[in-house]
Amino acid sequence: MGFDWDPRTRELWFNDHGRDMMGDDMPSDELNHAPKAGMNFGFPYCHQGDTPDPDLGTKRPCSDFVPPALKQGGHVAPNGLKFYTGKMFPPSIKIGSSSRSTALGTAAVKVAIA
């Protein structure tokens, strides 16, 4: 749903929404890191790096795929990604989703990348 290149390494980072119809907390939306071409992150066979799809998961094991750099939680709906190098924004913000029976609000996650 969103992607950006690390301004220091020029490597691609992206986030995506997990599939629906597996409950409020499953599967987790993902933050993925793709430092090289040709990487496969599992869709539609595997979700969040360790959860086989209920319909297609028997076709390929999750071990065939690259796990996410970060599991963001079920249905948090990350709709963008941007590396920010400024100092204007506060250290946390509230996020939520309309795809859960109970809205999830949590502090935004800062991911340290080396």
Side-chain angles (χ1 to χ4, degrees):
M1 294 301 297
F3 68 93
D4 198 9
W5 285 268
D6 182 324
R8 295 166 298 162
T9 65
R10 301 304 299 157
E11 294 173 349
L12 177 65
W13 289 78
F14 66 95
N15 55 36
D16 61 55
H17 293 192
R19 102 167 232 176
D20 287 333
M21 309 304 291
M22 290 177 67
D24 278 354
D25 299 313
M26 292 291 291
S28 208
D29 296 338
E30 300 174 4
L31 174 65
N32 294 297
H33 177 214
K36 61 184 178 185
M39 297 174 74
N40 189 325
F41 297 88
F43 181 83
Y45 307 104
C46 180
H47 306 286
Q48 69 177 33
D50 59 8
T51 303
D53 184 83
D55 300 318
L56 301 171
T58 60
K59 296 182 187 287
R60 302 220 12 221
C62 288
S63 59
D64 282 356
F65 307 109
V66 178
L70 177 70
K71 294 179 186 179
Q72 296 176 314
H75 308 288
V76 298
N79 286 325
L81 179 69
K82 179 71 178 158
F83 279 89
Y84 178 71
T85 58
K87 295 181 172 127
M88 185 171 87
F89 293 109
S92 67
I93 59 171
K94 290 300 227 180
I95 58 174
S97 171
S98 61
S99 296
R100 296 176 53 89
S101 61
T102 304
L104 174 67
T106 185
V109 176
K110 291 183 180 180
V111 178
I113 51 176

